[in-house]
Every structure is written in structure tokens, then in C-alpha cells.
Amino acid sequence: MNTNYLEAVEKAASFLKDKGMQTPQIGLILGSGLGELADEATDTIEVAYENIPGFPVSTVEGHAGKLVYGDLGGKKVLAMQGRFHYYEGYSLKEVTFPVRVMKALGVSSLVVTNAAGGVNENFTPGDLMIITDHINLTSDNPLLGPNNNDLGPRFTDMSEAYDKGYQSLIEAAGEENGLSVQKGVYLGLAGPTYETPAEVRMIRTLGGDAVGMSTVPEVIVARHAGLKVAGISCITNFAAGLQESLNHDEVVEVTTRVRESFKSLVKTLIEKM
Ligand code: HPA
């Protein structure tokens, strides 16, 4: 990792501190259709990604996002409303840049969320899933290249990528909100194609319960940086082969339908963290 990258992280962090994002405790990455949760935060400070020095420049319409700092569930949170995806053409160092900035600002925990396809046949669109572990099949890794020991160790332990204590808290938060929450392994691919039916069979054989195109890079960097991670997937569809066809509108439609449950689940989780 070169000095320029580190300097860029520090520059973005000090820019955001100057904007008033002083003491964030929990970072929050809000996936496709799930960004509305940030609107629940109070006393907010918001900065569009395009105005943050060093942040990747978004090229895709509808993915233009912003950082929202504020109070949520009794904590100071720093939420990403929208994330950067590998399939958009960003390198994984760019995709995970915001996680480095969160760490530089003092965040100690990260909540990652996403929309995902259900591979486990017991899952139904609209289910929320506690991510218990992941499988990185993006064919890339954000930590490739020289390691900067100030950012984290050369070889990062991934034996508890998703904190067990946080998994229990999500479960408790689900019970409190009367939601039945699934549990499973998230398998991350590069995308942007959805999977073929044969690929879905492969994913099931490999032990994936849900499949998506995000999250894995951010969690790798979060663990490298020593952040504790909680992960929640919104199952938006039966993965290909389990339903007739699949399109992005459907993914967005389902996230909209479960938005209220999702918001209460994450809010209660943050209260408990
Ligand atoms: N596959 C990959 N990514 C996804 C899916 C899917 O079925 N649904 C939502 N994101």
C-alpha cells in the first residue's frame, strides 16, 4: 500500500472531521434500496461522495451516494448511503477506501448490509439474514500488494470475520421486533451478471446461502483494520434457476417492501452494540 493511499485516507478523514464528523463510533454501509435508514439519523451532517477528497468518483446513475453522520440508536454513526462496487470498474482499494476513512475517524465497529440472492432453498424473498461468514469468490482481494503495518497485519485472521457477539445481538434485535431472521454464509462474486443456474448449484455445493456482488471486500478491509463487523443481507430473490428470471427492479422492489423491518432491525442492533 503506497504512501499516497495513506495520505489520501488521512486527507479525507481530516476533511470530514472539519465538517463536524468528530466522533463516529459505528460505521454503516447501506446496500441497494436500504439507504433510507440513514434518514432516521438525527442531528446529521451530510457530505456527497463527490465532494470528499480522494473518494472514488461515481460514474453510475442511481449510485451517487453520500456520507451521513448523526445520532442513531443512541450512537454516533457514520453511514454510507450507497457504496462503490467492483463491477463498476473500481479497484478493490477504491471500493474499500471509505472503510479506511471510517477507521481513521475512530470508528470501531462496522455494520454492513446488502441485497442478495437466496441460494438456500429455505429462504424466501423478503427474508433478512444474519451473515455468519463469507466466501470470497471475487477473484480479487483488497489487501493484495505491499502491506502497511500501520493499517493492519500482513496476514489477516478471518476466523471470526463476522463477530459472534454481534450475530447474537442481531438475533435478539430480530426477536424484539417480532422478525424471524435467517442465518447464513454470504458468497461474494464480482458481478455484474447475475448467476447462471449452474453457478447457483455450485454456490450451494460450496456452502453459500446467499449470493451478491458486494460486502466481502469491505469486510476484509474492516478486519485488517481491526474493526468488529456485523452483517445483514436482505434476500431479494430466489437465485437464478430457482425462479424464472431476475432483474434489478425486482431486487429494489423487495428491499422497498421490507424496508421498515430492515430499519427497525438495524436500529435495534445499533442500540445494543
Ligand atoms: N445474485 C447476485 N447479486 C444479487 C442477487 C442475486 O441473485 N440479488 C441481489 N443481488
Side-chain angles (χ1 to χ4, degrees):
M1 193 154 322
N2 59 36
T3 338
N4 288 346
Y5 189 81
L6 263 183
E7 279 170 6
V9 168
E10 273 152 26
K11 193 170 163 197
S14 71
F15 171 86
L16 294 168
K17 257 205 162 54
D18 288 347
K19 292 275 176 199
M21 300 185 176
Q22 294 283 343
T23 55
Q25 298 162 282
I26 298 175
L28 195 53
I29 302 181
L30 300 171
S32 283
L34 304 171
E36 221 186 60
L37 176 64
D39 300 338
E40 306 254 311
T42 54
D43 286 326
T44 54
I45 300 166
E46 304 186 1
V47 185
Y49 294 156
E50 61 197 24
N51 296 325
I52 306 172
F55 254 55
V57 180
S58 185
T59 47
V60 182
E61 216 180 314
H63 274 300
K66 61 184 182 201
L67 272 187
V68 181
Y69 175 80
D71 297 308
L72 187 71
K75 305 281 179 350
K76 288 281 180 207
V77 302
L78 183 56
M80 289 183 74
Q81 217 171 25
R83 59 149 60 84
F84 300 99
H85 296 92
Y86 190 48
Y87 62 72
E88 292 174 84
Y90 302 112
S91 70
L92 289 187
K93 293 246 187 311
E94 292 176 299
V95 166
T96 56
F97 183 81
V99 178
R100 295 289 184 196
V101 174
M102 285 177 174
K103 166 73 182 184
L105 283 167
V107 157
S108 57
S109 306
L110 181 67
V111 180
V112 290
T113 67
N114 57 53
V119 174
N120 184 318
E121 280 161 319
N122 297 318
F123 292 179
T124 312
D127 280 352
L128 298 172
M129 183 191 89
I130 300 170
I131 306 177
T132 57
D133 205 348
H134 77 216
I135 297 173
N136 178 14
L137 278 192
T138 60
S139 309
D140 198 352
N141 191 303
L143 304 180
L144 281 176
N147 185 62
N148 185 312
N149 293 320
D150 293 335
L151 290 178
R154 169 72 287 186
F155 300 106
T156 297
D157 180 22
M158 296 295 283
S159 25
E160 196 179 323
Y162 300 81
D163 186 82
K164 285 209 169 70
Y166 285 170
Q167 292 179 42
S168 306
L169 294 185
I170 303 170
E171 211 165 0
E175 276 165 26
E176 231 168 80
N177 287 284
L179 302 167
S180 79
V181 179
Q182 305 278 14
K183 279 185 201 176
V185 173
Y186 177 90
L187 187 142
L189 297 170
T193 41
Y194 289 121
E195 300 67 43
T196 64
E199 285 165 344
V200 172
R201 289 193 296 276
M202 173 194 77
I203 291 164
R204 189 175 305 116
T205 303
L206 292 179
D209 296 293
V211 58
M213 308 174 192
S214 68
T215 304
V216 163
E218 292 115 315
V219 172
I220 289 172
V221 164
R223 294 306 297 146
H224 184 247
L227 304 182
K228 282 169 69 175
V229 177
I232 300 172
S233 287
C234 172
I235 306 297
T236 54
N237 54 276
F238 297 109
L242 304 176
Q243 64 176 44
E244 272 189 8
S245 66
L246 171 60
N247 63 64
H248 183 64
D249 292 342
E250 183 182 339
V251 168
V252 173
E253 191 270 315
V254 175
T255 54
T256 307
R257 180 156 62 76
V258 301
R259 192 172 270 170
E260 293 311 315
S261 312
F262 171 79
K263 286 200 286 197
S264 42
L265 183 70
V266 179
K267 215 168 141 181
T268 308
L269 166 66
I270 291 171
E271 281 166 14
K272 292 177 180 297
M273 282 172 81

